[in-house]
């Protein structure tokens, strides 16, 4: 009988703890991005390109971006640095330096206090070489 009571108490305790954790989790901030991958298409070599990833906080708590880190030095990030309240929007602006002619895929790692604390944004495209210019005239 004691074993049954202990098992019931454990089940009730686990259920209560899970309910509290789920309730807290549903209150957490959460991203909803306009897009998570941006394709620049063909980009002329030597011409930096920029895109802005916009997001809305669909959670209840304010969303705080703690870090936005491109995975290479050819990409620069700027982002909303103030807490984003529930149902409000923020941005992550990415500029890619198209210095070398080649296809590219770059990842930007976003760290925050959201339900999904680490989110990856991706930019892709192809840098095409500048056309050779004719030198001199005949």
């Amino acid at each position: 009988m004691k074993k049954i009571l202990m098992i019931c108490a454990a089940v009730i305790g686990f259920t209560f703890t899970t309910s509290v954790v789920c309730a807290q989790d549903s209150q957490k901030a959460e991203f909803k991005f306009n897009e998570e991958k941006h394709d620049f298409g063909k980009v002329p070599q030597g011409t930096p390109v920029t895109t802005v990833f916009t997001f809305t906080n669909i959670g209840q708590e304010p969303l705080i971006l703690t870090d936005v880190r491109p995975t290479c030095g050819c990409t620069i990030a700027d982002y909303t640095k103030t807490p984003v309240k529930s149902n409000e929007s923020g941005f992550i602006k990415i500029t890619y330096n198209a210095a070398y002619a080649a296809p590219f895929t770059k990842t930007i790692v976003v760290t925050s206090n959201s339900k999904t604390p680490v989110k990856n944004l991706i930019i892709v495209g192809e840098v095409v070489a500048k056309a050779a210019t004719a030198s001199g005239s005949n």
Side-chain angles (χ1 to χ4, degrees):
M1 188 63 152
K2 285 184 181 181
K3 286 183 181 180
I4 293 173
L5 287 174
M6 292 294 282
I7 291 171
C8 287
V11 168
I12 290 170
F14 178 74
T15 303
F16 177 74
T17 302
T18 303
S19 297
V20 169
V21 169
C22 288
Q24 287 175 343
D25 203 38
S26 68
Q27 298 296 311
K28 283 195 116 169
E30 183 64 315
F31 290 109
K32 181 173 182 179
F33 279 93
N34 62 327
E35 64 178 349
E36 294 182 26
K37 180 178 182 179
H38 180 78
D39 187 347
F40 284 108
K42 294 191 184 292
V43 178
Q45 184 178 6
T47 305
V49 290
T50 299
T51 189
V52 177
F53 292 94
T54 57
F55 62 87
T56 302
N57 177 5
I58 58 172
Q60 298 301 312
E61 295 178 357
L63 176 62
I64 301 167
L65 302 181
T66 53
D67 194 24
V68 176
R69 186 174 309 253
T71 55
C72 76
C74 56
T75 308
I76 298 170
D78 185 24
Y79 58 94
T80 302
K81 301 199 175 49
T82 56
V84 178
K85 295 178 183 173
S86 180
N87 296 315
E88 290 187 3
S89 296
F91 72 92
I92 299 172
K93 178 180 170 184
I94 303 298
T95 301
Y96 174 71
N97 179 8
Y100 301 103
F104 66 90
T105 299
K106 303 296 177 186
T107 302
I108 298 87
V109 180
V110 180
T111 308
S112 70
N113 67 329
S114 72
K115 287 182 195 177
T116 311
V118 178
K119 186 80 130 167
N120 291 333
L121 302 175
I122 302 192
I123 58 170
V124 298
E126 180 180 359
V127 178
V128 294
K130 288 183 179 179
T133 56
S135 58
S137 57
N138 294 10

